Amino acid sequence: MVTTSARSRSAPRFRWWHALGIFAAANAVSVLPAGVGGDEAFYNDFERPAVAPPDWLFPPMWLFLNVTSLMALARIANDPEQTGDHRRVYALEGGGWVLFAAFNTLYFGLRSPVLGAADTAAGLTVGVGSLVYSLRVDRRAGLLILPRVLWLLLATSVSAWVARHNRDEFLSRRD
């Protein structure tokens, strides 16, 4: 017979509705300034490096990266042993979701490739930290975060290039 306390210790802390709530909240905030795909005309009008992904790739790629990140978070949260590394992953992943939600406002809403590049670089930094601590806690969780880090390596180089070679409407305003 399983006691109530044993059952509560083995019950998952992080369930599918937690993942759905994080996903829904971050994506709702993200789409407010420019819609699901962002402002394709704004992105496509920029001079971009040859390695820049096409605008249509961003929504499905971020859907994949959001899902794999939430799968990693579920693995970490449902680990019966909770350590300082677990808490570091939670803090880093929380920061990553805030940066994800803020990107469209900074890039499309404010029309600032510089702020978009800064957000992307910050997301890469947070992603690398999350990858390192996740690998310490649960190798599979770390491997689920790896695609996001790889994407953000590309995205950071492209966004820095775009910020350097194009006008930033927000930061060049003179009032």
Side-chain angles (χ1 to χ4, degrees):
M1 179 173 185
V2 177
T3 64
T4 304
S5 62
R7 196 176 304 133
S8 65
R9 277 194 305 250
S10 64
R13 289 179 200 84
F14 191 89
R15 302 200 185 230
W16 68 268
W17 60 81
H18 297 125
L20 183 61
I22 292 167
F23 179 85
N27 280 279
V29 170
S30 177
V31 301
L32 291 176
V36 172
D39 182 346
E40 286 93 359
F42 180 67
Y43 177 74
N44 289 327
D45 285 345
F46 282 137
E47 184 179 339
R48 291 172 286 159
V51 297
D55 60 4
W56 61 264
L57 183 58
F58 289 93
M61 179 56 77
W62 275 108
L63 174 61
F64 170 75
L65 297 172
N66 282 230
V67 169
T68 56
S69 295
L70 288 166
M71 290 169 62
L73 185 58
R75 290 187 64 86
I76 300 292
N78 290 327
D79 185 352
E81 180 184 349
Q82 294 290 305
T83 66
D85 286 344
H86 289 77
R87 288 184 291 281
R88 288 177 189 93
V89 171
Y90 303 145
L92 290 162
E93 286 298 291
W97 282 102
V98 168
L99 291 165
F100 170 80
F103 177 82
N104 278 351
T105 297
L106 298 172
Y107 191 81
F108 296 111
L110 296 178
R111 305 185 76 71
S112 179
V114 171
L115 295 178
D119 181 276
T120 304
L124 174 60
T125 302
V126 165
V128 168
S130 188
L131 173 63
V132 167
Y133 289 112
S134 291
L135 286 169
R136 288 180 175 183
V137 171
D138 180 315
R139 182 176 164 82
R140 287 185 181 165
L143 293 175
L144 287 164
I145 291 171
L146 182 60
R148 187 175 85 224
V149 170
L150 295 174
W151 175 260
L152 286 170
L153 276 169
L154 172 63
T156 298
S157 66
V158 168
S159 65
W161 194 98
V162 167
R164 185 169 189 268
H165 291 91
N166 294 279
R167 183 174 184 276
D168 187 299
E169 293 178 28
F170 178 73
L171 294 178
S172 34
R173 289 184 186 158
R174 296 182 187 177
D175 292 324

